[in-house]
Amino acid sequence: MDKGRKLIIAGNWKMNKTVAEALDLVNGLKRELANIKEIDIVVCPPFTALSDVSKAILNTNIRLGAQNMSEHNFGAYTGEIAAGMLKEFSVRYVILGHSERRQYQKETDELIAKKALAAHAASLKPIVCVGETLAQREAGRTELVVGTQLRKSLAALSAGQMEETIIAYEPIWAIGTGKNATADQAQDAHMFIRKQLAAMFNETVARHARIQYGGSVKPSNARELMSQRDVDGALVGGASLEDRSFSDIIKNCVN
Ligand code: PEP
């Protein structure tokens, strides 16, 4: 099926990998994935490995992402990293509003909206994460929750910026649990998200914006999930920590 959108598969390494381990992983990925042109491939190492991984992937088909950034450009914000600092390592993407940051760092949609704007100002493409808890899904509140997250966290963006923004639909009950959403559940949620983008921005934005699925993606389920009409890629946690499983996910999704 030609959706008119290139698949984008990103690995979120979270708080894993020393520099040496990160280089091992990315060198394995370079070997495994050298010939893949059909899919945008992104790795998101911890900040401490960005510099070395950036050098290791020079002139390859692998792009670099960060897992978070500050909404501020510089100043007295101890422990924070600004977009301009990420740009020094040729970072192209930045994950914003991951459910773990929403939960543990209490990040709000309003904060994520500021970060998304700051990312675009630095020409970084945000990967904005949304998704419901199991209790919210079981209470029939998925669309309400995800719709609110989208409306608030994308509030500051222009239509042009939205076209360059990636949404990651990550049902929280599927993250790190081994229990992925079914292809139908993913497609339903992604179709809803695309309709919301049409209502918030316009039809062209909705047609062009890429929506990743995240939540226990692995080599055995990636192809079916990616073949859904409104699923344009994956944000992969656990299975991105090993070169074989991450590259198998990608290879399995090449037509
Ligand atoms: C994630 O944390 O973004 C994620 C999708 O994790 P996992 O693939 O391990 O479920």
Side-chain angles (χ1 to χ4, degrees), residues 110-169:
E110 289 74 13
L111 177 66
I112 294 156
K114 288 183 189 160
K115 291 187 179 196
L117 201 56
H120 278 294
S123 300
L124 290 174
K125 292 187 202 304
I127 299 176
V128 174
C129 301
V130 297
E132 79 288 0
T133 63
L134 186 58
Q136 289 164 338
R137 173 164 281 264
E138 287 177 348
R141 298 179 61 228
T142 298
E143 294 193 353
L144 185 72
V145 169
V146 172
T148 304
Q149 289 172 332
L150 291 171
R151 214 174 42 254
K152 292 188 176 172
S153 55
L154 305 175
L157 302 185
S158 67
Q161 288 169 328
M162 184 58 228
E163 279 199 47
E164 299 296 321
T165 299
I166 293 142
I167 304 292
Y169 169 63

Side-chain angles (χ1 to χ4, degrees), residues 50-51 54-55 64 82-91 124:
L50 285 176
S51 172
S54 176
K55 288 180 198 134
L64 196 57
M85 298 168 176
L86 299 176
K87 294 286 289 183
E88 290 191 293
F89 303 116
S90 306
V91 169
L124 290 174

